[in-house]
Short mmCIF file of all heavy atoms in Angstrom, two decimals:
data_model
loop_
_atom_site.label_atom_id
_atom_site.label_comp_id
_atom_site.label_asym_id
_atom_site.label_seq_id
_atom_site.Cartn_x
_atom_site.Cartn_y
_atom_site.Cartn_z
N VAL A 767 -4.91 3.86 -14.86
CA VAL A 767 -3.88 4.87 -15.08
C VAL A 767 -4.34 5.77 -16.21
O VAL A 767 -4.55 5.30 -17.34
CB VAL A 767 -2.52 4.21 -15.43
CG1 VAL A 767 -1.46 5.28 -15.66
CG2 VAL A 767 -2.09 3.26 -14.32
N PHE A 768 -4.50 7.04 -15.91
CA PHE A 768 -4.97 7.99 -16.92
C PHE A 768 -3.82 8.92 -17.29
O PHE A 768 -3.29 9.64 -16.44
CB PHE A 768 -6.15 8.80 -16.40
CG PHE A 768 -6.62 9.86 -17.36
CD1 PHE A 768 -7.13 9.52 -18.60
CD2 PHE A 768 -6.53 11.21 -17.03
CE1 PHE A 768 -7.55 10.49 -19.50
CE2 PHE A 768 -6.95 12.18 -17.91
CZ PHE A 768 -7.46 11.82 -19.15
N MET A 769 -3.43 8.88 -18.56
CA MET A 769 -2.37 9.75 -19.07
C MET A 769 -2.99 10.81 -19.95
O MET A 769 -3.44 10.51 -21.07
CB MET A 769 -1.34 8.94 -19.87
CG MET A 769 -0.41 8.11 -19.03
SD MET A 769 0.93 7.42 -20.04
CE MET A 769 1.83 6.53 -18.77
N ASP A 770 -3.05 12.01 -19.45
CA ASP A 770 -3.55 13.12 -20.25
C ASP A 770 -2.42 13.65 -21.14
O ASP A 770 -1.25 13.63 -20.75
CB ASP A 770 -4.07 14.23 -19.34
CG ASP A 770 -5.14 15.06 -20.02
OD1 ASP A 770 -5.47 14.77 -21.19
OD2 ASP A 770 -5.65 16.01 -19.39
N GLU A 771 -2.80 14.12 -22.31
CA GLU A 771 -1.81 14.61 -23.29
C GLU A 771 -0.75 13.55 -23.55
O GLU A 771 0.46 13.79 -23.46
CB GLU A 771 -1.17 15.91 -22.82
CG GLU A 771 -2.15 16.99 -22.41
CD GLU A 771 -3.02 17.46 -23.57
OE1 GLU A 771 -2.63 17.25 -24.74
OE2 GLU A 771 -4.10 18.01 -23.32
N ILE A 772 -1.21 12.34 -23.87
CA ILE A 772 -0.27 11.23 -24.07
C ILE A 772 0.60 11.44 -25.31
O ILE A 772 1.68 10.84 -25.43
CB ILE A 772 -1.05 9.90 -24.16
CG1 ILE A 772 -0.09 8.71 -24.06
CG2 ILE A 772 -1.91 9.84 -25.40
CD1 ILE A 772 -0.78 7.38 -23.99
N ASP A 773 0.16 12.31 -26.22
CA ASP A 773 0.96 12.56 -27.42
C ASP A 773 2.29 13.24 -27.09
O ASP A 773 3.26 13.10 -27.82
CB ASP A 773 0.17 13.40 -28.42
CG ASP A 773 -0.31 14.70 -27.79
OD1 ASP A 773 -1.31 14.66 -27.06
OD2 ASP A 773 0.32 15.75 -28.01
N SER A 774 2.34 14.00 -25.97
CA SER A 774 3.60 14.63 -25.58
C SER A 774 4.57 13.63 -24.96
O SER A 774 5.77 13.87 -24.93
CB SER A 774 3.33 15.77 -24.60
OG SER A 774 2.75 15.28 -23.40
N LEU A 775 4.06 12.51 -24.45
CA LEU A 775 4.92 11.50 -23.84
C LEU A 775 5.37 10.45 -24.86
O LEU A 775 6.49 9.94 -24.78
CB LEU A 775 4.18 10.80 -22.69
CG LEU A 775 4.94 9.70 -21.94
CD1 LEU A 775 6.11 10.31 -21.18
CD2 LEU A 775 4.03 8.95 -20.99
N ALA A 776 4.50 10.13 -25.80
CA ALA A 776 4.81 9.07 -26.76
C ALA A 776 4.59 9.55 -28.18
O ALA A 776 3.71 9.05 -28.89
CB ALA A 776 3.96 7.84 -26.46
N PRO A 777 5.37 10.53 -28.64
CA PRO A 777 5.23 10.97 -30.04
C PRO A 777 5.83 9.93 -30.98
O PRO A 777 6.51 8.99 -30.56
CB PRO A 777 6.01 12.28 -30.07
CG PRO A 777 7.06 12.10 -29.03
CD PRO A 777 6.44 11.27 -27.95
N ALA A 778 5.55 10.10 -32.25
CA ALA A 778 6.10 9.18 -33.24
C ALA A 778 7.62 9.20 -33.18
O ALA A 778 8.25 10.27 -33.19
CB ALA A 778 5.61 9.56 -34.63
N ARG A 779 8.23 8.02 -33.10
CA ARG A 779 9.69 7.94 -32.98
C ARG A 779 10.37 8.44 -34.26
O ARG A 779 9.91 8.16 -35.37
CB ARG A 779 10.10 6.50 -32.69
CG ARG A 779 9.87 6.09 -31.25
CD ARG A 779 10.07 4.62 -31.04
NE ARG A 779 8.99 3.84 -31.63
CZ ARG A 779 8.89 2.51 -31.53
NH1 ARG A 779 9.81 1.83 -30.88
NH2 ARG A 779 7.88 1.88 -32.10
N GLY A 780 11.44 9.17 -34.05
CA GLY A 780 12.16 9.74 -35.16
C GLY A 780 11.71 11.13 -35.53
O GLY A 780 12.32 11.78 -36.38
N SER A 781 10.65 11.64 -34.85
CA SER A 781 10.15 12.98 -35.18
C SER A 781 10.94 14.07 -34.48
O SER A 781 10.88 15.23 -34.87
CB SER A 781 8.67 13.09 -34.80
OG SER A 781 8.49 12.78 -33.43
N PHE A 782 11.69 13.72 -33.41
CA PHE A 782 12.50 14.70 -32.69
C PHE A 782 13.96 14.30 -32.80
O PHE A 782 14.34 13.18 -32.43
CB PHE A 782 12.08 14.79 -31.22
CG PHE A 782 10.68 15.32 -31.02
CD1 PHE A 782 9.62 14.45 -30.82
CD2 PHE A 782 10.43 16.67 -31.03
CE1 PHE A 782 8.33 14.93 -30.65
CE2 PHE A 782 9.15 17.17 -30.86
CZ PHE A 782 8.10 16.30 -30.67
N GLN A 783 14.78 15.21 -33.26
CA GLN A 783 16.19 14.92 -33.46
C GLN A 783 17.07 15.65 -32.46
O GLN A 783 18.27 15.40 -32.40
CB GLN A 783 16.61 15.31 -34.88
CG GLN A 783 15.82 14.62 -35.98
CD GLN A 783 16.02 13.12 -35.99
OE1 GLN A 783 17.05 12.62 -35.56
NE2 GLN A 783 15.03 12.40 -36.49
N SER A 784 16.50 16.58 -31.68
CA SER A 784 17.32 17.42 -30.81
C SER A 784 17.14 17.11 -29.33
O SER A 784 17.55 17.88 -28.48
CB SER A 784 16.98 18.90 -31.04
OG SER A 784 15.61 19.14 -30.76
N ASP A 785 16.50 15.97 -28.99
CA ASP A 785 16.29 15.64 -27.58
C ASP A 785 17.15 14.47 -27.13
O ASP A 785 16.84 13.82 -26.13
CB ASP A 785 14.82 15.33 -27.32
CG ASP A 785 14.33 14.13 -28.14
OD1 ASP A 785 15.11 13.66 -28.99
OD2 ASP A 785 13.19 13.70 -27.93
N SER A 786 18.21 14.17 -27.86
CA SER A 786 19.16 13.09 -27.51
C SER A 786 18.48 11.73 -27.45
O SER A 786 18.94 10.83 -26.74
CB SER A 786 19.86 13.39 -26.17
OG SER A 786 20.54 14.62 -26.25
N GLY A 787 17.37 11.58 -28.14
CA GLY A 787 16.70 10.28 -28.18
C GLY A 787 15.87 9.95 -26.96
O GLY A 787 15.49 8.79 -26.77
N VAL A 788 15.57 10.95 -26.08
CA VAL A 788 14.81 10.69 -24.86
C VAL A 788 13.41 10.22 -25.20
O VAL A 788 12.91 9.23 -24.64
CB VAL A 788 14.78 11.95 -23.97
CG1 VAL A 788 13.86 11.73 -22.78
CG2 VAL A 788 16.18 12.31 -23.50
N SER A 789 12.74 10.92 -26.12
CA SER A 789 11.36 10.57 -26.45
C SER A 789 11.29 9.17 -27.05
O SER A 789 10.35 8.41 -26.75
CB SER A 789 10.77 11.58 -27.42
OG SER A 789 11.54 11.63 -28.62
N ASP A 790 12.27 8.78 -27.85
CA ASP A 790 12.26 7.44 -28.43
C ASP A 790 12.41 6.37 -27.34
O ASP A 790 11.74 5.33 -27.38
CB ASP A 790 13.38 7.30 -29.45
CG ASP A 790 13.15 8.15 -30.70
OD1 ASP A 790 12.07 8.75 -30.78
OD2 ASP A 790 14.05 8.23 -31.55
N ARG A 791 13.29 6.62 -26.37
CA ARG A 791 13.48 5.65 -25.29
C ARG A 791 12.24 5.56 -24.40
O ARG A 791 11.88 4.48 -23.93
CB ARG A 791 14.71 6.01 -24.45
CG ARG A 791 16.02 5.91 -25.22
CD ARG A 791 17.20 5.88 -24.25
NE ARG A 791 17.24 7.07 -23.41
CZ ARG A 791 17.88 8.20 -23.73
NH1 ARG A 791 18.50 8.30 -24.89
NH2 ARG A 791 17.89 9.23 -22.91
N VAL A 792 11.58 6.70 -24.17
CA VAL A 792 10.37 6.69 -23.37
C VAL A 792 9.27 5.91 -24.07
O VAL A 792 8.53 5.13 -23.45
CB VAL A 792 9.91 8.13 -23.05
CG1 VAL A 792 8.53 8.13 -22.42
CG2 VAL A 792 10.90 8.80 -22.12
N VAL A 793 9.14 6.09 -25.37
CA VAL A 793 8.15 5.33 -26.13
C VAL A 793 8.44 3.84 -26.05
O VAL A 793 7.54 3.01 -25.84
CB VAL A 793 8.12 5.80 -27.61
CG1 VAL A 793 7.24 4.89 -28.45
CG2 VAL A 793 7.61 7.22 -27.70
N GLY A 794 9.71 3.48 -26.18
CA GLY A 794 10.08 2.07 -26.06
C GLY A 794 9.75 1.50 -24.70
O GLY A 794 9.24 0.37 -24.58
N GLN A 795 10.01 2.25 -23.64
CA GLN A 795 9.68 1.79 -22.29
C GLN A 795 8.17 1.66 -22.11
O GLN A 795 7.68 0.70 -21.49
CB GLN A 795 10.25 2.77 -21.26
CG GLN A 795 10.03 2.36 -19.81
CD GLN A 795 10.78 1.10 -19.48
OE1 GLN A 795 11.96 0.97 -19.77
NE2 GLN A 795 10.09 0.15 -18.86
N LEU A 796 7.41 2.61 -22.66
CA LEU A 796 5.95 2.56 -22.54
C LEU A 796 5.39 1.35 -23.28
O LEU A 796 4.47 0.67 -22.79
CB LEU A 796 5.35 3.86 -23.09
CG LEU A 796 3.84 4.05 -22.92
CD1 LEU A 796 3.45 3.98 -21.46
CD2 LEU A 796 3.40 5.37 -23.52
N LEU A 797 5.93 1.05 -24.45
CA LEU A 797 5.49 -0.13 -25.19
C LEU A 797 5.78 -1.40 -24.41
O LEU A 797 4.96 -2.32 -24.37
CB LEU A 797 6.19 -0.18 -26.56
CG LEU A 797 5.85 0.96 -27.54
CD1 LEU A 797 6.69 0.81 -28.80
CD2 LEU A 797 4.37 0.96 -27.88
N THR A 798 6.95 -1.46 -23.77
CA THR A 798 7.30 -2.63 -22.98
C THR A 798 6.35 -2.81 -21.80
O THR A 798 5.91 -3.94 -21.50
CB THR A 798 8.74 -2.50 -22.46
OG1 THR A 798 9.63 -2.33 -23.57
CG2 THR A 798 9.14 -3.74 -21.67
N GLU A 799 6.01 -1.72 -21.12
CA GLU A 799 5.11 -1.81 -19.98
C GLU A 799 3.71 -2.23 -20.42
O GLU A 799 3.03 -2.99 -19.72
CB GLU A 799 5.06 -0.47 -19.25
CG GLU A 799 6.36 -0.06 -18.58
CD GLU A 799 6.75 -0.99 -17.45
OE1 GLU A 799 5.87 -1.68 -16.91
OE2 GLU A 799 7.95 -1.04 -17.13
N LEU A 800 3.26 -1.73 -21.56
CA LEU A 800 1.93 -2.11 -22.04
C LEU A 800 1.87 -3.59 -22.37
O LEU A 800 0.88 -4.26 -22.10
CB LEU A 800 1.56 -1.27 -23.26
CG LEU A 800 1.13 0.18 -22.97
CD1 LEU A 800 0.94 0.94 -24.26
CD2 LEU A 800 -0.15 0.19 -22.16
N ASP A 801 2.93 -4.12 -22.97
CA ASP A 801 2.97 -5.55 -23.23
C ASP A 801 3.04 -6.34 -21.93
O ASP A 801 2.49 -7.43 -21.82
CB ASP A 801 4.17 -5.90 -24.11
CG ASP A 801 3.96 -5.43 -25.54
OD1 ASP A 801 2.79 -5.30 -25.94
OD2 ASP A 801 4.95 -5.19 -26.25
N GLY A 802 3.72 -5.77 -20.93
CA GLY A 802 3.81 -6.45 -19.65
C GLY A 802 2.50 -6.49 -18.90
O GLY A 802 2.31 -7.31 -18.02
N LEU A 803 1.58 -5.60 -19.25
CA LEU A 803 0.29 -5.60 -18.58
C LEU A 803 -0.54 -6.82 -18.92
O LEU A 803 -1.58 -7.05 -18.31
CB LEU A 803 -0.51 -4.34 -18.97
CG LEU A 803 -0.06 -3.03 -18.35
CD1 LEU A 803 -0.92 -1.90 -18.86
CD2 LEU A 803 -0.15 -3.08 -16.85
N GLN A 804 -0.11 -7.62 -19.88
CA GLN A 804 -0.88 -8.81 -20.24
C GLN A 804 -1.00 -9.75 -19.05
O GLN A 804 -1.97 -10.50 -18.96
CB GLN A 804 -0.20 -9.54 -21.40
CG GLN A 804 -0.06 -8.72 -22.67
CD GLN A 804 -1.39 -8.45 -23.34
OE1 GLN A 804 -2.35 -9.13 -23.07
NE2 GLN A 804 -1.43 -7.45 -24.19
N GLY A 805 -0.04 -9.70 -18.12
CA GLY A 805 -0.09 -10.59 -16.97
C GLY A 805 -0.86 -10.03 -15.80
O GLY A 805 -0.96 -10.69 -14.78
N CYS A 806 -1.37 -8.84 -15.90
CA CYS A 806 -2.13 -8.22 -14.80
C CYS A 806 -3.43 -7.69 -15.37
O CYS A 806 -3.47 -6.64 -16.00
CB CYS A 806 -1.32 -7.10 -14.14
SG CYS A 806 -2.07 -6.47 -12.64
N ALA A 807 -4.51 -8.44 -15.12
CA ALA A 807 -5.78 -8.13 -15.77
C ALA A 807 -6.51 -6.96 -15.12
O ALA A 807 -7.51 -6.51 -15.66
CB ALA A 807 -6.68 -9.36 -15.74
#
Side-chain angles (χ1 to χ4, degrees):
V767 180
F768 176 63
M769 285 189 180
D770 206 1
E771 308 297 340
I772 192 174
D773 56 281
S774 63
L775 180 67
R779 283 171 288 183
S781 57
F782 294 98
Q783 302 296 334
S784 60
D785 61 353
S786 302
V788 174
S789 60
D790 292 354
R791 294 196 301 271
V792 171
V793 172
Q795 183 65 49
L796 186 58
L797 295 176
T798 303
E799 294 295 338
L800 284 174
D801 287 336
L803 286 179
Q804 300 291 341
C806 189

